[in-house]
Amino acid sequence: MSKVAVEEKGSKVIVEYMIQQNRPYSATDVYTNLHQEFGKTLVVKCLDSGVQSGQLKEKVIGKQKIYFANQDNFPKADEEALRNLDRLVVEQAEQLKAEQAELKNIDYHLKTLTSAQTTAQLKAKVTQLENEISELEARLNALKGTTKQVTPGDKKKAIESRDVCVSEWRKRKRMANEMINGILENCPKKKKDLLEEMGVETDEDHQVVIPN
């Protein structure tokens, strides 16, 4: 294809593209949008030619030149047509909002269904629970069948032993707190940091409480 033919084709394609898009573009935008079908120099030349023919207009913004379709060549829209377009935009926006809400609702139900257990999974769970119930019942029956009885004396000894342990627990905890508080009086560290550094674990760390 000759150079003249290429320029003629480029001028036609580029001007028609600008009119069809009806948006402002720089020469680089047009060059990129047309997938570099024409050289950038030719693109600039065709855009300038379109301006000279009155099909396009240009505007310099800073150091960049912007080209766009000559709006004088487009038919004028009457007021009624513009109002109809405005109503159509509002209707389309409302419809879009409704469809988005419906899509959100469908998506929620889909996630609920996909996260639900299948029939096979539920049957397996039932079998597992039945086996656990059988094991617990066997243990219960074994405990019910035992003949060993706790005598009042054994019960009293157990209570006394418990009371001694609890008393010692309170005593040692009080002594430990007094010692730690004494260290803290001359230590810039917080109590929590000091305990961590010393490797001391408290009842609160293990969520245990001294019995009454």
Side-chain angles (χ1 to χ4, degrees), residues 142-150:
L143 290 173
K144 286 181 177 179
T146 183
T147 56
K148 186 177 180 180
Q149 300 291 330
V150 177

Side-chain angles (χ1 to χ4, degrees), residues 95-127:
Q95 182 178 355
L96 175 62
K97 185 177 180 180
E99 290 179 353
Q100 287 176 334
E102 183 179 359
L103 177 61
K104 184 178 181 181
N105 187 44
I106 292 174
D107 185 58
Y108 170 77
H109 286 295
L110 178 61
K111 289 181 179 179
T112 302
L113 291 173
T114 53
S115 62
Q117 290 184 322
T118 63
T119 302
Q121 291 173 327
L122 291 173
K123 288 182 177 179
K125 186 66 175 179
V126 170
T127 301

Side-chain angles (χ1 to χ4, degrees), residues 2 19 58 171:
S2 66
I19 294 174
E58 64 181 12
K171 179 181 177 182

Side-chain angles (χ1 to χ4, degrees), residues 79-94:
E79 293 298 324
E80 183 61 27
L82 291 175
R83 285 193 292 270
N84 289 336
L85 287 175
D86 289 338
R87 283 195 293 269
L88 180 61
V89 169
V90 172
E91 291 174 359
Q92 294 292 332
E94 291 177 351

